[in-house]
Each structure stands twice: as C-alpha cells, then as structure tokens.
Amino acid sequence: MVASILTAASVTPMAQSLRSAIISSPLKWAIGPWALFIFENAVLSENRTSLISFFEDSDVADEEIRKASGDSRYHVFYGLCSTSACASILYGYRYKVRNAAPYFPKGVIVGGPRGRAFAIVLQAAGLALFSQTLPKFQIPVEYQNDPTAFSTERGTDKWAEETEKPPALKFSIRCPFDFADSTKISGDEDMPSGVDRITRHPGLWSMAMFSAGHAFTVSTLSIPQFSFFLMPVAVALFGGAHTDSRFRRGMGGTLGVKYDERTSNVPFFGLLKQSMESPAPLFNKLMDETKVLNAAIAIGSAFSLALLRRPLASNTAVRMAVKNVAPA
C-alpha cells in the first residue's frame, strides 16, 4: 500500500515538474552562477592575507609600499573574479533561464494573485529595510515660532500677557535629508541601534527580500526563473555568515562578543533572542529608532510597483479576446 501511495505521488504534476527541473540545464544555469559567486567571494576573502602576500612586489625594499602593492593587486584580482561571476549570472539569466521550461503546474502560488500579494509583502519589507540604511528623510518645509515676534514692553514679555495674540509662525525650508540625525546612536559600541537591531547585513537581506518577492511574480511559471530570483537569499545567508566568521577572527573587520550576541545575520533573530524575557522595551527602542518617513516611502514604492506590474497571462487573454472579436 505504501508503495502504491509513493508511486501515485511520484506521478503528480508537481512531482513531475520538480523532477524535470532538477535534471534540466536551465536550472543548473539558474543556480550555478550564483553558487560560483558565493564560492569565489568566500575563497578569496578567506585567503585574503595569503593572497596579498602572494601579490606583493618582492623587489621593493620598503615593507609598507610592498604591502600596499599586494593589497592593490589583490583587490584588482578580487574585482576581476567577482565581475566574471556576475557576468555569468547575467548571461545565464538572459540566454538560459528566462522563461525556460520546465514549468510549475497551474494552481501554485507562483504567478497568481496569491503570489503577487506575497511579493508585495516581501518587497515592501526589503525596501523598508534598505530605506533604514539611508539618511533620514524629512519633510522639506516646516513652520516654527518666529523669534522676531517676541518683544518686551516695560520689562514684560508682551506675548505672555493675557491680551497678547499667539506668537507668529515662520515658514522655512530645510534639506529633505537629515544628515545630522544623531538621536539613533546608542553611544555604546556594544549596543546595536537602528537597523542593526534587525540584521548585521541590511544591504544583503534587502536585496534578498526584494528578489525573492519578484520570484513569486513569475507569470510564466518557469521553475528555473523562479529559482534564479530565490538565489540572493542564499547569497545573504552564506555571504553574511562568512563575513561574520571572518570578523570574529579579526580578518577585515571586528565583531565584538557582546555585539555578536545582541545582533544576528538573519533578520530579527538577534532581537528575538534578547527579547525572550522582556520584549516590550527592545521593540519600543526599535520603533523609536525607525526612520518612519523612509519606511513609508519604501512601502509606498512597493505598492506602486505592484500596481504597475501586469500579469502576462492577463495581457495575452485580452489580446486573444480582441483578436476573436475583430472583423475578418
């Protein structure tokens, strides 16, 4: 009986699609270049010290100049390898992955209304996370009390008298970016603040969330294309973890023990670990440190993208309907 159940499950449309995808060349192109990108970054950064020594100009007597030349050549080599990996990602998507078979069976979450709703949530979260790394946005116009309206008469402030009118308001224009926003700094290098409370790598995870959201909008139901847009999640997960590992060992940066305990690579894990006993104070601090206008603009942008996005299937249906009713 068990064998019959397994046999029946193996011939379902979803199982057949996944089996075809695993052995297909487009899926290998969807995953392979991303995996190469992760691998070459990990290998080159892990062996950074050895490679810098290898690239040093041995003919130079000055040690400082020799190390500088090795560091410069290392970065050129690193950039060349990363550029080649990125080029393979773009080539694979353009010529091997885009709209490639096999496809998900109809009815899955990908490409449908549920998939687009899921995409809005993921892309809004990704853009909101990225917005917290930018300078604080502020409304460029404001009204404030006009100091010239406060005068004295017989040694008494006129505005303080009961018969005095309210102070005048003065219109002023300011920069839309608050570069001097210092209220979000905790003052303790071991205490995270702002977006660092969510993740140590907001850039990687904002890209991963946005790309994963786009994966659920693939209207052609292409499994390789869906997998391609999920791969940045692996980049954020493994790339962030490897960066943390190097910083813990003092390679290319530092990561203190207390700061490490209070933060995390995966979003919100560090915050949840700290808030197991008393979550309210930490979440209140996070809300106080959030750049609200930045987040509002980011979420609005995600909804705008959703409105601009048009399902390919709907457009095809409209064109077919128009063709059918068109006069011969």
Coordinates of all heavy atoms in Angstrom, one line a residue, residues 39-55 74 242 246 251:
F39 N 30.9 31.1 -3.8 CA 32.1 30.4 -3.6 C 33.4 31.2 -3.8 O 34.3 31.2 -2.9 CB 32.2 29.2 -4.5 CG 33.4 28.3 -4.4 CD1 33.6 27.5 -3.4 CD2 34.4 28.4 -5.4 CE1 34.7 26.7 -3.2 CE2 35.6 27.7 -5.3 CZ 35.7 26.8 -4.2
E40 N 33.4 32.0 -4.9 CA 34.6 32.8 -5.1 C 34.8 33.9 -4.1 O 35.9 34.2 -3.7 CB 34.6 33.3 -6.6 CG 33.5 34.3 -6.9 CD 33.9 35.7 -6.6 OE1 35.1 36.0 -6.3 OE2 33.0 36.6 -6.7
N41 N 33.7 34.5 -3.7 CA 33.8 35.5 -2.6 C 34.3 34.9 -1.3 O 35.1 35.5 -0.6 CB 32.4 36.2 -2.4 CG 32.2 37.3 -3.3 OD1 32.6 38.5 -3.0 ND2 31.6 37.1 -4.5
A42 N 33.8 33.7 -1.0 CA 34.2 33.1 0.3 C 35.7 32.7 0.2 O 36.5 32.9 1.2 CB 33.4 31.9 0.6
V43 N 36.1 32.1 -0.9 CA 37.5 31.6 -1.0 C 38.5 32.8 -1.0 O 39.5 32.8 -0.3 CB 37.7 30.8 -2.3 CG1 39.1 30.5 -2.5 CG2 36.9 29.5 -2.1
L44 N 38.2 33.8 -1.8 CA 39.1 34.9 -1.9 C 39.2 35.7 -0.6 O 40.3 36.2 -0.2 CB 38.7 35.8 -3.1 CG 38.8 35.2 -4.5 CD1 38.4 36.2 -5.6 CD2 40.2 34.7 -4.8
S45 N 38.1 36.0 0.0 CA 38.1 36.7 1.3 C 38.7 35.9 2.4 O 39.4 36.5 3.3 CB 36.7 37.2 1.6 OG 35.8 36.1 1.8
E46 N 38.5 34.6 2.4 CA 39.1 33.8 3.5 C 40.6 33.7 3.4 O 41.3 33.6 4.4 CB 38.5 32.4 3.4 CG 38.9 31.4 4.5 CD 38.4 31.8 5.8 OE1 37.3 32.5 5.9 OE2 39.0 31.4 6.8
N47 N 41.1 33.8 2.2 CA 42.6 33.7 1.9 C 43.1 35.0 1.6 O 44.2 35.1 0.9 CB 42.9 32.7 0.8 CG 42.4 31.3 1.1 OD1 43.1 30.5 1.8 ND2 41.3 30.9 0.7
R48 N 42.5 36.1 2.1 CA 42.9 37.4 1.8 C 44.4 37.7 2.2 O 45.2 38.2 1.3 CB 42.0 38.4 2.5 CG 42.3 39.9 2.3 CD 41.2 40.7 3.0 NE 41.4 42.1 2.7 CZ 42.1 43.0 3.3 NH1 42.9 42.5 4.3 NH2 42.2 44.2 3.0
T49 N 44.8 37.4 3.4 CA 46.1 37.6 3.8 C 47.2 36.9 3.0 O 48.2 37.5 2.6 CB 46.3 37.2 5.3 OG1 45.3 37.9 6.1 CG2 47.7 37.6 5.8
S50 N 46.9 35.7 2.7 CA 47.9 34.9 1.9 C 48.0 35.4 0.4 O 49.1 35.5 -0.1 CB 47.4 33.4 1.8 OG 47.4 32.9 3.1
L51 N 46.8 35.8 -0.1 CA 46.9 36.4 -1.5 C 47.6 37.7 -1.6 O 48.3 38.0 -2.5 CB 45.4 36.5 -2.0 CG 44.7 35.1 -2.3 CD1 43.2 35.4 -2.6 CD2 45.4 34.5 -3.5
I52 N 47.4 38.5 -0.5 CA 48.1 39.8 -0.5 C 49.6 39.6 -0.5 O 50.3 40.3 -1.2 CB 47.6 40.7 0.7 CG1 46.2 41.2 0.4 CG2 48.5 41.9 0.9 CD1 45.6 41.9 1.6
S53 N 50.0 38.6 0.3 CA 51.4 38.3 0.4 C 51.9 37.8 -1.0 O 53.1 38.1 -1.4 CB 51.7 37.3 1.5 OG 51.3 37.8 2.8
F54 N 51.1 37.0 -1.6 CA 51.5 36.4 -2.9 C 51.6 37.5 -4.0 O 52.5 37.5 -4.8 CB 50.4 35.4 -3.4 CG 50.6 34.9 -4.7 CD1 51.6 33.9 -5.0 CD2 49.9 35.4 -5.8 CE1 51.8 33.4 -6.2 CE2 50.1 34.8 -7.1 CZ 51.1 33.9 -7.3
F55 N 50.8 38.6 -3.9 CA 50.8 39.6 -4.9 C 51.8 40.7 -4.6 O 51.9 41.7 -5.4 CB 49.4 40.2 -5.1 CG 48.4 39.3 -5.8 CD1 47.3 38.9 -5.2 CD2 48.7 38.9 -7.1 CE1 46.4 38.1 -5.9 CE2 47.8 38.1 -7.8 CZ 46.7 37.7 -7.2
Y74 N 45.6 42.5 -5.1 CA 44.6 41.6 -4.6 C 43.2 42.1 -4.9 O 42.3 41.3 -5.4 CB 44.7 41.4 -3.1 CG 43.5 40.8 -2.4 CD1 43.2 39.5 -2.5 CD2 42.6 41.7 -1.7 CE1 42.1 38.9 -1.9 CE2 41.5 41.1 -1.1 CZ 41.2 39.8 -1.2 OH 40.1 39.2 -0.6
H242 N 29.6 34.2 6.4 CA 31.1 34.1 6.2 C 31.7 35.4 6.6 O 32.8 35.4 7.2 CB 31.4 33.8 4.8 CG 32.9 33.6 4.5 ND1 33.6 34.6 3.9 CD2 33.8 32.7 4.9 CE1 34.9 34.2 3.8 NE2 35.0 33.1 4.4
R246 N 34.6 35.8 9.5 CA 35.9 36.5 9.4 C 36.1 37.6 10.4 O 37.2 37.8 10.9 CB 36.0 37.1 7.9 CG 36.2 36.0 6.9 CD 36.6 36.6 5.5 NE 35.6 37.6 5.0 CZ 35.8 38.9 5.0 NH1 36.9 39.4 5.5 NH2 34.9 39.7 4.6
M251 N 39.6 39.3 10.7 CA 40.0 39.3 9.3 C 39.1 40.4 8.6 O 38.0 40.1 8.3 CB 39.9 38.0 8.7 CG 40.8 36.9 9.3 SD 40.5 35.3 8.5 CE 40.9 35.6 6.8

